Amino acid sequence: MPRPAPPLRVGIAGLTHTHVHGLLGRAQHGDLVLVGIAEPNRALAERYARQYGFPMALVYASLAEVLAKAKPEAVTAFGSISAHLAVVQACAPKGIHVMVEKPLAVNLDHARQMAALARQHHIHLLTNYETTW
């Protein structure tokens, strides 16, 4: 019998989009492990840490710190849409898959740059279009 896949190591880029609650509430499922959160707003991070029971040691001031120290396999972007391109620019060259909230990008130029980075670095780039609503 094949071994079950190990949990996916996931980082979060931003906590300001409320769909982050769906991810933060997944800890009990065992299919992912939250390894780092990039969120400069400490008060927001502390509120979510209390609500979901994660340690503040997982919270970093920047995505660069999360990537360097926590080594995620995938990053979810729950911040500003205008930051989506920067998230892909930071993650794709490292082979880190990215999921962004909708819409994918602020304009067609950003979308094309993101798609090109995903193709060039062979990562999955997903937009969070919830299918269970």
Side-chain angles (χ1 to χ4, degrees):
M1 179 178 280
R3 287 183 163 169
L8 183 67
R9 295 176 54 81
V10 176
I12 297 176
L15 294 173
T16 57
H17 193 292
T18 59
H19 286 169
V20 74
H21 291 282
L23 182 64
L24 292 174
R26 285 202 61 84
Q28 70 277 9
H29 293 284
D31 56 349
L32 63 87
V33 59
L34 182 59
V35 296
I37 299 169
E39 178 54 63
N41 182 335
R42 295 294 287 184
L44 176 62
E46 287 169 353
R47 188 171 79 228
Y48 284 172
R50 282 191 302 275
Q51 183 175 352
Y52 290 100
F54 62 81
M56 283 299 290
L58 289 180
V59 179
Y60 299 88
S62 72
L63 179 58
E65 287 181 278
V66 170
L67 299 180
K69 296 177 181 173
K71 308 286 189 219
E73 297 171 279
V75 167
T76 58
F78 289 108
S80 162
I81 296 158
S82 63
H84 287 178
L85 176 57
V87 171
V88 177
Q89 288 170 327
C91 294
K94 297 179 183 320
I96 299 170
H97 305 290
V98 179
M99 187 218 66
V100 300
E101 264 305 324
K102 61 188 164 306
L104 173 69
V106 294
N107 58 44
L108 185 57
D109 178 56
H110 279 207
R112 286 182 173 152
Q113 288 183 62
M114 292 164 68
L117 285 162
R119 280 191 302 274
Q120 177 185 359
H121 298 288
H122 308 286
I123 66 160
H124 295 290
L125 173 59
L126 307 170
T127 304
N128 184 26
Y129 282 102
E130 181 60 54
T131 59
T132 59
W133 293 346

